[in-house]
Amino acid sequence: MNSLQRLITCPTWTIAVTGAQWGDEGKGKIVDFLSGYAEILVRAGGGANAGHTLVVDGTKHVIHLLPSGIIRPGTMNLLGPGVVCDLAVLASELTLATRYGAQVMLDPSALVVHPLHKILDNVREKQAGDNAIGTTKRGIGPAYEDLASRRGLRLGDLTSRKSIIDAFQQGGYWQEKQSLLRTLTPEGIPSLTEIVDWAAGFSDQITPHLGDTRAKIAHALASNKRILCEGAQGIMLDLIHGQPPYTTSTGSTAAAIMATTGINRFDAVIGVTKGYATRVGAGPFPTNLSDRSGQELRERGHEFGTTTGRARSCGWLDLPALRYACRIGGITHLIVTKLDILANFPGGIKVCVDYGPNALIDEYTTLTTRLLTTAQPVYQEFDAWNEKDLIAHKLGTGIQTFIKLIERITEHPVSAFTHGAERRALRFLGR
Ligand code: IMP
Ligand code: MG
């Protein structure tokens, strides 16, 4: 057993799972596995821009908002105050949780993403033309602007029609939003009554789940429970540490999870990375492959957005970026996913180990937009392994070399890897 496996079987722990790339690393699968050991699961940030795909006994679930624990009977799943909530998505995931016999508690402070946020997100992206960020158009940026401006509708307001109206009218909020949208778009926008009706329509399903999630976490910490926090997006998309403007609107580091949950230490912060790299939306992506290999990765790995259906850009694993994500994101252990996708890969596999002469970096350099835009990857090449090397009693030497290279450059242990979508296709490494 390695140190992470030993930790998981301890009677008490706090663990965070974060994305160590640009999102879509396969965090859902890791959280799904760990949820078998956790008592409390927490989703800390982001919104329905995320999409976690889980395959259990051949059935596929895509979960956007609630922790992936909602398909484990008996788990307690918290949606924290830092999440922005798409009410229709939330309602359907509450139904799924009930079907699986999982409990859910929603923080009354969590902000509601309403139709005007989505209109604004869409309008801005359209107006930006070639300079668009490539958002998921789920209203995430505009919703977090409201959070920072201390206005907007929160889940706790859904308890009465009056409190919904009050939230929209506070400090001229509705008027301001309306006049902004009128100047930006000729298309009609919903009236206040329509928006209030829309929000009130979710009250009956959502309000019974409202509860003090931070108190729940504090109690769980005091009584030594096993707490699992599920990160959304990836550290390279972090609002501060990503490459602006090509980021999401929240933090995705371990520290960002701590900030909204009140947890102040993790026994482990698992960084999840694919054995290659993908990015969806615009922004610099040094190892991007626009050739046949990129297409091959996309087809083999089904690299199409779970939330938007967009084709993801695909490229080789970028170790300087992963090293940066490990450091800035507070990662302690790595798990590498989708190694089956690289099995028998035509022409072999490459891994970026450094950026060339245009972007000189050392292990502490901040990866800015400018730096990643000029980076020319320096590659190390590998022969592709066979599918059976991944499950053989003795791990194939090709994979061993690949994993050792990741460990050497990131200076972080690789605790496990995955070799398929199913729950059981996860292999821990003996170290
Ligand atoms: P937003 O979060 O919808 O505003 O999108 C901002 C950027 O983050 C875009 O590049 C999106 O493609 C990316 N993004 C947001 N959420 C995810 C995710 O869960 N997986 C992958 N990319 C994401
Ligand atoms: Mg995803």
Side-chain angles (χ1 to χ4, degrees):
M1 278 215 271
N2 67 32
S3 66
L4 187 60
Q5 276 174 300
R6 274 197 301 277
L7 175 62
I8 294 163
T9 53
C10 286
T12 172
W13 44 255
T14 51
I15 295 179
V17 176
T18 62
Q21 298 175 297
W22 288 271
D24 307 315
E25 299 91 351
K27 293 179 287 297
K29 186 183 158 73
I30 306 307
V31 171
D32 175 53
F33 167 76
L34 293 171
S35 68
Y37 299 84
E39 290 161 285
I40 297 205
L41 287 101
V42 188
R43 172 76 189 268
N49 48 351
H52 297 156
T53 308
L54 308 172
V55 182
V56 182
D57 300 329
T59 308
K60 186 172 140 180
H61 298 284
V62 181
I63 298 171
H64 300 280
L65 269 180
L66 290 174
S68 303
I70 59 166
I71 58 168
R72 287 266 187 195
T75 50
M76 167 53 88
N77 297 271
L78 310 183
L79 180 138
V83 181
V84 294
C85 304
D86 187 308
L87 296 182
V89 172
L90 187 54
S92 84
E93 292 182 5
L94 284 171
T95 306
L96 186 67
T98 307
R99 177 141 64 84
Y100 274 89
Q103 284 179 282
V104 177
M105 185 187 277
L106 309 170
D107 201 290
S109 297
L111 205 82
V112 171
V113 179
H114 58 67
L116 266 48
H117 292 135
K118 290 189 189 172
I119 298 174
L120 199 51
D121 198 356
N122 274 282
V123 168
R124 284 183 183 158
E125 283 290 277
K126 204 162 154 190
Q127 289 191 341
D130 288 346
N131 295 319
I133 295 167
T135 72
T136 61
K137 300 191 178 158
R138 293 299 186 274
I140 304 300
Y144 277 113
E145 287 169 30
D146 280 1
L147 188 67
S149 77
R150 297 154 294 181
R151 292 183 306 176
L153 183 70
R154 295 172 189 259
L155 289 184
D157 296 322
L158 297 178
T159 46
S160 79
R161 200 178 164 84
K162 181 177 180 307
S163 48
I164 298 174
I165 296 173
D166 287 350
F168 276 111
Q169 287 182 331
Q170 194 215 339
Y173 174 76
W174 178 257
Q175 256 179 325
E176 208 180 277
K177 276 275 172 304
Q178 233 188 351
S179 55
L180 174 66
L181 279 167
R182 285 222 178 95
T183 56
L184 289 176
T185 168
E187 284 153 46
I189 56 167
S191 68
L192 180 56
T193 312
E194 282 168 326
I195 296 259
V196 172
D197 287 347
W198 165 84
F202 293 99
S203 293
D204 287 351
Q205 199 182 357
I206 288 174
T207 54
H209 294 280
L210 292 175
D212 186 343
T213 63
R214 283 160 282 187
K216 190 87 188 165
I217 291 171
H219 276 293
L221 288 169
S223 54
N224 298 320
K225 294 239 184 323
R226 294 183 295 270
I227 307 173
L228 179 62
C229 294
E230 177 168 4
Q233 288 79 46
I235 289 161
M236 296 301 279
L237 289 173
D238 183 277
L239 174 63
I240 305 289
H241 306 296
Q243 293 78 43
Y246 308 104
T247 67
T248 187
S249 294
T250 34
S252 35
T253 60
I257 296 172
M258 288 178 175
T260 60
T261 56
I263 294 172
N264 61 19
R265 68 172 282 278
F266 287 115
D267 296 303
V269 177
I270 300 172
V272 184
T273 174
K274 282 191 269 221
Y276 51 97
T278 63
R279 175 160 202 165
V280 58
F285 182 25
T287 62
N288 184 33
L289 293 165
S290 42
D291 61 3
R292 179 74 208 122
S293 297
Q295 208 176 320
E296 182 82 21
L297 281 172
R298 186 154 47 249
E299 281 163 18
R300 288 171 165 234
H302 309 290
E303 297 296 350
F304 298 89
T306 43
T307 299
T308 58
R310 290 180 290 175
R312 297 175 183 146
S313 302
C314 297
W316 300 119
L317 181 61
D318 183 337
L319 290 180
L322 185 60
R323 175 176 59 194
Y324 172 68
C326 283
R327 181 174 61 77
I328 209 94
I331 288 168
T332 59
H333 300 70
L334 286 168
I335 294 184
V336 185
T337 60
K338 297 182 102 165
L339 289 191
D340 52 319
I341 304 304
L342 296 172
N344 304 311
F345 200 85
I349 299 163
K350 291 185 190 174
V351 176
C352 169
V353 292
D354 200 357
Y355 296 153
N358 292 341
L360 292 179
I361 52 164
D362 65 25
E363 65 265 47
Y364 301 127
T365 310
T366 299
L367 300 188
T368 59
T369 311
R370 178 189 289 262
L371 195 144
L372 279 201
T373 308
T374 51
Q376 287 173 326
V378 177
Y379 289 112
Q380 187 164 321
E381 299 189 24
F382 291 83
D383 292 333
W385 42 78
N386 291 313
E387 195 100 42
K388 64 177 189 321
D389 292 343
L390 297 165
I391 48 173
H393 181 66
K394 191 177 179 307
L395 201 59
T397 50
I399 308 162
Q400 285 194 39
T401 322
F402 179 81
I403 284 167
K404 281 198 188 114
L405 179 67
I406 297 175
E407 293 186 321
R408 181 168 63 76
I409 298 208
T410 64
E411 294 186 41
H412 278 67
V414 174
S415 303
F417 67 81
T418 75
H419 50 85
E422 273 287 340
R423 210 173 232 178
R424 61 180 179 279
L426 171 71
R427 177 169 181 166
F428 278 88
L429 294 161
R431 73 194 74 215

